[in-house]
Amino acid sequence: MDASHAWVGFFCPGIGWLDVDATNNCIPSLRHITIGWGRDYGDVGPIRGVLVGGRKQTLRVSVDVNAPRPRENETHDSAPGV
């Protein structure tokens, strides 16, 4: 599913940084991909510039993710450096 939306992160003393996705009513997980941080949309919009004219505007966003292949001598069941 392709979707573009934002979620909020905030600092909670004694706990640390917490993220909340109000759009999907969940806590962001590995299915969420951060492409930028900002105070508002103007800080992290996918494009910047000036539009001239009064035509209808459309924004299409797509993110494709591929898992990296494990290195030849790498295993997933051992701790790093072991």
Side-chain angles (χ1 to χ4, degrees):
M1 174 173 92
D2 287 338
S4 174
H5 71 283
W7 58 92
V8 65
F10 59 94
F11 186 78
C12 183
I15 296 176
W17 285 96
L18 300 172
D19 294 328
V20 177
D21 178 350
T23 302
N24 294 312
N25 194 27
C26 69
I27 295 174
S29 65
L30 294 176
R31 295 183 59 133
H32 288 71
I33 299 171
T34 302
I35 60 169
W37 288 275
R39 296 165 294 176
D40 55 37
Y41 184 81
D43 287 345
V44 293
I47 58 172
R48 294 178 194 244
V50 177
L51 288 174
V52 178
R55 295 188 149 198
K56 182 180 176 183
Q57 301 173 26
T58 303
L59 173 66
R60 293 187 181 147
V61 178
S62 176
V63 176
D64 296 320
V65 179
N66 295 310
R69 293 182 182 162
R71 295 181 190 152
E72 199 170 298
N73 294 325
E74 185 178 344
T75 61
H76 293 285
D77 52 36
S78 64
V82 176

